[in-house]
Every structure is written in C-alpha cells, then in structure tokens.
Amino acid sequence: MSGIILVVRPEPGLGTTLAAAKDMGLNTVGYPLFEIRPWEWDCPDPVTVDALLIGSANAIRHGGEALTRLTDKPVYAVGEATAEAAREAGFAIASIGTGGLQNVLDTVRSETTLLRLAGAEHVPLEPPSGVNLETRIVYKAVPLELPEPLRALQDLGLTVLLHSAAAARQFDGEARRMALHRQRISLVTIGPRVASAAGKGWADIHVSDAPNDRAMLELARSASI
C-alpha cells in the first residue's frame, strides 16, 4: 500500500479508528477536526418520556448529571458503539440500528414518546404516525484547524476518512484555507449524505457500503493502493 490515511473524527472515536487501522496494518495519522463539549440542557419530566433515541455515543458521554434521571428509560441506538456506551451508563437497549437514525425511529411502535438526545448539529427526522419526538441538545462539536504539517502529507498520497457531514464541510473549508491540492486527495465517506457535503475537486470520493470503521478502512486501503 502507498500513501497515508488521515482520520479527522474527534476523540474518543479518533483513537478507536486509529487502533482499528493499526490492527489492519494501515499507515494512518490522526488530526481531529472537532472537539466535543457538553451543552447545558434541561431534562424534561421523566414521567413524560417512554424511551430515548440516541444517534451518537457523545450524547451519553456528555449528557451530564441529567442523564441519571433517565436511566430507567430504554434506548433506541443508531449503532453498536452508541448502544455500548448506553449500556455502560446503565441503560437498557430497546433496539440497535444499522442504517441510520431514521431507520431506527421507523421501528418504534405507535403511542410512544421519545426523547432524542442530540448534538447541536443533527440530522432532521420524521417520526412515524403516533410517535411523539422531543429533542434536547446535549453536546456541541467545536471546529478545529488542521495543523501545518498536514500540508506535506498530501504529496505522499492522502486518503481522508470522513465520518460525518460536519467533518466533510470542515475539511472542505480547511482545504481551502490551507490551499491543499485537492486532486492529490481522495475521500472515503461513511455514507452518501457525507459525500454530498464534501465539496468538489477531489481526486476521488468513495462511499462506504456500511457505516462502520472496518468498511471505511477496507475501502481506504483499496483506494490507497
């Protein structure tokens, strides 16, 4: 394999992806594009909530003291990593999705009131008939600049992993700020929505078949050969 795979997701996901890449023998480097910070929020009366809808483990990590009022509520989780964070925090899991939070929401039975714990930037959802959805913002992603040493990496052949639309937009902006050579950089995105947010002019944009690290890294491996 030639070239370098760049991981730009925030911690602790950054470390998780780098560890998985190391196990696969991939040449990777990590520069987070965001720092996740708590957002002050008011917890609704737990009596009015039947279950939680969670699209990121960050909601569990940064939900704060108010989460302790909701630990008897089952969690509908977007994926296994989010579900595992919820379990470790004492929650029972109602359902684990594989294809996005809307797909999880579509499985919820009628006459259920869900509390969605989300980041300041989140995907809009359409609850099915009979499902009431309330949303609370519990964390925010603060943008970071890429460091100057990254500029030299593009000459070695660079493949960038993008785990979110926010990361795609931020990397697009940072590439403009640093005047990076887009035609030397390939992108691997976790899904079509992220690919559409990544801007134009890249050498290639690849969309992962599955929204997980293993699939993205396998795709990055083939893109870097």
Side-chain angles (χ1 to χ4, degrees):
M1 187 191 77
S2 62
I4 295 175
I5 297 171
L6 172 65
V7 186
V8 296
R9 66 190 307 199
E11 291 289 9
L14 176 64
T16 300
T17 302
L18 290 177
K22 182 179 180 180
D23 289 343
M24 296 170 64
L26 301 178
N27 187 13
T28 55
V29 64
Y31 289 122
L33 275 175
F34 294 95
E35 179 184 351
I36 306 300
R37 299 177 185 172
W39 184 291
E40 187 175 346
W41 64 289
D42 294 322
C43 181
D45 186 343
V47 174
T48 66
V49 176
D50 296 315
L52 305 181
L53 181 68
I54 301 181
S56 171
N58 287 321
I60 300 295
R61 297 187 189 108
H62 300 280
E65 194 71 25
L67 277 182
T68 61
R69 301 181 61 196
L70 300 167
T71 50
D72 64 333
K73 309 298 179 183
V75 168
Y76 290 84
V78 70
E80 183 55 48
T82 301
E84 183 58 29
R87 290 190 196 99
E88 290 177 358
F91 291 91
I93 305 302
S95 176
I96 303 174
T98 57
L101 201 56
Q102 183 65 57
N103 288 347
V104 177
L105 179 57
D106 290 341
T107 68
V108 178
R109 64 178 177 82
S110 183
E111 299 183 5
T112 298
T113 296
L114 290 174
L115 176 62
R116 181 186 185 185
L117 304 181
E121 179 170 336
H122 53 274
V123 177
L125 298 175
E126 187 66 35
S129 177
V131 173
N132 181 45
L133 181 64
E134 290 190 52
T135 300
R136 293 291 189 278
I137 307 303
V138 302
Y139 69 91
K140 59 182 177 180
V142 179
L144 304 174
E145 291 187 350
L146 290 171
E148 186 61 28
L150 176 66
R151 192 186 304 276
L153 297 182
Q154 65 186 329
D155 295 327
L156 303 176
L158 195 61
T159 301
V160 185
L161 268 58
L162 297 173
H163 286 75
S164 70
R169 289 190 291 270
Q170 180 69 0
F171 187 77
D172 181 37
E174 284 296 282
R176 296 178 191 278
R177 181 184 67 82
M178 299 179 71
L180 299 181
H181 299 295
R182 290 171 179 251
Q183 66 273 19
R184 299 179 186 174
I185 300 173
S186 296
L187 307 180
V188 170
T189 67
I190 201 168
R193 189 177 70 89
V194 179
S196 66
K200 307 291 185 180
W202 309 105
D204 291 291
I205 300 180
H206 306 275
V207 179
S208 178
D209 290 334
N212 59 65
D213 269 353
R214 181 76 191 192
M216 293 179 72
L217 288 167
E218 290 285 6
L219 187 53
R221 188 210 301 268
S222 64
S224 301
I225 294 174

